[in-house]
Structures are given as C-alpha cells and as structure tokens.
Amino acid sequence: MSCLDEIAVLFAREGARDYLGELVTQSEHMLQAGLLAQHDGASDALVAATLLHDIGHLRREGSGLELMAGTDNSHAKTGAEWLTTWFGPDVTEPVRLHVAAKRYLCHVDAAYFSRLSEASRYTLSIQGGLMNEVEAEAFEGEDYFEDALALRRWDEAAKDPAAPTPELGEFRDLLERLNRLSGRS
Ligand SMILES: [Fe+2]
C-alpha cells in the first residue's frame, strides 16, 4: 500500500474516533489543523506535518485512550518515526517535537497555558508537565523549534466542531509531492 493509501485508511478508520475528550474526531482535528496551517501560508512541509501530527495516536491500539487513562503513549515520537518512511525531517521533526512544544509554550507563555482545553491540560500532566528552564533552553536549540511552535498553535486551534473541515483528498497532491521530493518510498 502506498503512503497515501495507508494514511487514508488510518484517517477513515481510527481517526473517526473521539479526540481525547474534545468535540471533534481525531481526523477532523488533524484536517482542521492542516487547513489552518495552509491558510496562514505555511510551507508545504509544515502543512503536512500539521495535518499528520497526531498520526501516532491513530497507529496505536486504543488511539489515545491510553493517554487519557494516564499512560504517555509517546505518540509524537512513534508518529514521527513512522512518517520517516516517506517524508524528510522538515515534515517529521515538527511532528516529533509537537508535544515538547506544548510543554515549552506552557513554560514561557502563561496565557497559552490558560487557553488549553481541559483535556489538553490533563494530557500535559501525563507528558511531563511544564518545561523547566534547562529543558526550555535545550528545546530552543532544536532545528525545527519555530516550526514545532507554529504547529502547536494550529493544533490548539483545531478543535472547533463548527470550523471548516477539508477532506484528506485535498492534501493528496501536496503529500505526494513531498513524498517524491524526499526520495523515500
Ligand atoms: Fe493534536
């Protein structure tokens, strides 16, 4: 199965589940996030990263339910690793860093923390809580630091049941182009 077909199956099957206590499904959340990135003029790679950022949830039995039950399923890491089969670091690295970005933003921006949904605040506590100063400095040295922060803000904004939600097919050309550019199959 091609990368696109595998992603489409995950979005249609596991992605149709509830998204960790939010009012949208996991697929709707990711599709809304990808659209927000596109509307804000993000690069193709960052749009793809945002669209696929929670793919690690869809690839695990329980689809995030274990996270809500108090176990960190490391979905950022497992999702990024899976995506390296098809995409370069400009896609996979912001995915890998998107949970760390939440921990970082909570450390540097009290307003961001106060805007987190109840579910997101709960998962933060499971994922290590706010970063400390040493962790934050190390995070700022990551190559895809800025992209990870941008992804995170679209992530938080993409939980609105009334917001426009595109079809995955609308991103197909973009994903195929990035897959070809990466030289991975
Ligand atoms: Fe997310």
Side-chain angles (χ1 to χ4, degrees):
M1 221 190 299
S2 77
C3 131
L4 269 297
D5 291 338
E6 284 201 39
I7 290 169
V9 167
L10 289 171
F11 268 69
R13 200 184 289 161
E14 281 76 8
R17 296 178 186 159
D18 287 352
Y19 172 54
L20 309 182
E22 306 288 357
L23 295 171
V24 291
T25 66
Q26 304 211 33
S27 291
E28 287 166 345
H29 165 62
M30 293 163 75
L31 290 161
Q32 285 184 7
L35 185 66
L36 289 171
Q38 205 161 42
H39 282 173
D40 281 350
S43 67
D44 283 356
L46 188 50
V47 169
T50 308
L51 173 72
L52 302 173
H53 73 276
D54 277 339
I55 201 94
H57 278 320
L58 308 193
R59 298 206 63 257
R60 294 280 301 236
E61 198 52 46
S63 194
L65 296 177
E66 42 184 8
L67 180 59
M68 290 307 278
T71 306
D72 181 2
N73 67 3
S74 305
H75 75 282
K77 187 165 169 281
T78 56
E81 278 168 6
W82 186 69
L83 291 169
T84 55
T85 309
W86 294 291
F87 300 108
D90 49 355
V91 175
T92 63
E93 280 297 282
V95 173
R96 183 178 69 82
L97 297 171
H98 85 273
V99 170
K102 176 164 85 168
R103 297 184 55 228
Y104 174 83
L105 284 167
C106 288
H107 170 72
V108 298
D109 184 353
Y112 171 86
F113 178 72
S114 70
R115 285 196 305 271
L116 285 183
S117 65
E118 201 179 319
S120 195
R121 230 177 265 198
Y122 171 71
T123 54
L124 173 70
S125 68
I126 309 295
Q127 292 160 335
L130 283 70
M131 278 189 178
N132 61 36
E133 197 57 43
V134 174
E135 290 173 316
E137 255 180 56
F139 185 65
E140 286 166 1
E142 292 279 357
D143 285 346
Y144 290 89
F145 165 70
E146 298 286 353
D147 282 357
L149 294 193
L151 189 164
R152 192 72 227 183
R153 293 189 187 277
W154 293 313
D155 184 357
E156 302 303 341
K159 301 171 180 179
D160 178 357
T165 307
E167 298 290 328
L168 181 63
E170 294 175 41
F171 297 97
R172 194 169 188 105
D173 288 350
L174 178 146
L175 293 173
E176 282 179 343
R177 197 161 57 242
L178 288 165
N179 181 216
R180 269 197 311 276
L181 281 172
S182 76
R184 302 169 196 206
S185 57

